[in-house]
């Protein structure tokens, strides 16, 4: 991985060599993805989610980066509904795909140990970015399994 991102004339390597740079890049990518979501640019949101997932593979804060990535995929699953340039069948396909990617990424995050303050179903349900997933059976199952793991 040799890509980099430029923000305000500063270049951030996508495989940063130090923790502070990695944390800054993670936050910038999450903010960029969220900004793209509010601008109804689901493709930009997905791009940021993918970059966060890649950063998670190389950084020490994998769980946080994966959680942020899952939030962005969840946002993309709802913002794709607002794209007038694609047909309904494609919207349904993309929404399902990004929703599934969000759930899969949450499960990866759980394997790394969920970030502080997000270890139970109640705290995860309180995250607004994940609201598009609340009605999904696989999300409900994820939360149930999370609670069962806490009981052990």
């Amino acid at each position: 991985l040799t890509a980099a991102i430029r923000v305000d004339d500063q270049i951030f390597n996508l495989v940063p060599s130090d923790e502070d740079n990695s944390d800054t890049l993670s936050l910038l990518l999450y903010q960029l993805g969220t900004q793209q979501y509010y601008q109804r640019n689901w493709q930009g949101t997905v791009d940021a989610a993918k970059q966060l997932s890649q950063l998670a593979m190389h950084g020490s804060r994998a769980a946080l980066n994966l959680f942020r990535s899952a939030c962005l995929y969840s946002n993309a699953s709802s913002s794709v509904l607002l794209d007038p340039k694609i047909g309904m069948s494609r919207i349904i396909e993309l929404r399902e795909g990004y929703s599934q990617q969000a759930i899969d990424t949450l499960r990866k995050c759980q394997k790394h140990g969920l970030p502080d303050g997000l270890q139970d179903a109640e705290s995860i349900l309180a995250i607004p970015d994940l609201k598009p997933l609340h009605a999904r059976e696989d999300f409900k199952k994820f939360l149930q399994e999370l609670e069962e793991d806490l009981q052990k």
Side-chain angles (χ1 to χ4, degrees), residues 75-101:
N75 283 336
S77 76
S78 69
S79 65
V80 73
L81 293 170
L82 304 173
D83 190 336
K85 298 176 282 203
I86 56 177
M88 187 52 72
S89 62
R90 181 71 174 139
I91 287 173
I92 292 168
E93 177 187 338
L94 289 170
R95 182 171 185 182
E96 176 58 28
Y98 295 138
S99 296
Q100 188 61 55
Q101 188 66 39

Side-chain angles (χ1 to χ4, degrees), residues 80-133:
V80 73
L81 293 170
L82 304 173
D83 190 336
K85 298 176 282 203
I86 56 177
M88 187 52 72
S89 62
R90 181 71 174 139
I91 287 173
I92 292 168
E93 177 187 338
L94 289 170
R95 182 171 185 182
E96 176 58 28
Y98 295 138
S99 296
Q100 188 61 55
Q101 188 66 39
I103 299 292
D104 292 347
T105 305
L106 282 172
R107 290 192 180 282
K108 287 178 192 173
C109 177
Q110 183 182 18
K111 289 178 185 174
H112 285 275
L114 290 164
D116 291 340
L118 297 169
Q119 286 90 13
D120 60 49
E122 184 178 347
S123 62
I124 289 176
L125 283 168
I127 303 297
D129 289 337
L130 298 177
K131 191 168 183 164
L133 304 176

Side-chain angles (χ1 to χ4, degrees), residues 44-100:
T45 303
V46 169
D47 289 344
K50 288 177 183 177
Q51 294 294 334
L52 274 167
S53 291
Q54 286 183 343
L55 184 62
M57 294 171 23
H58 300 283
S60 64
R61 292 194 171 64
L64 178 60
N65 293 330
L66 287 168
F67 191 82
R68 287 174 172 167
S69 179
C71 288
L72 292 178
Y73 280 120
S74 175
N75 283 336
S77 76
S78 69
S79 65
V80 73
L81 293 170
L82 304 173
D83 190 336
K85 298 176 282 203
I86 56 177
M88 187 52 72
S89 62
R90 181 71 174 139
I91 287 173
I92 292 168
E93 177 187 338
L94 289 170
R95 182 171 185 182
E96 176 58 28
Y98 295 138
S99 296
Q100 188 61 55

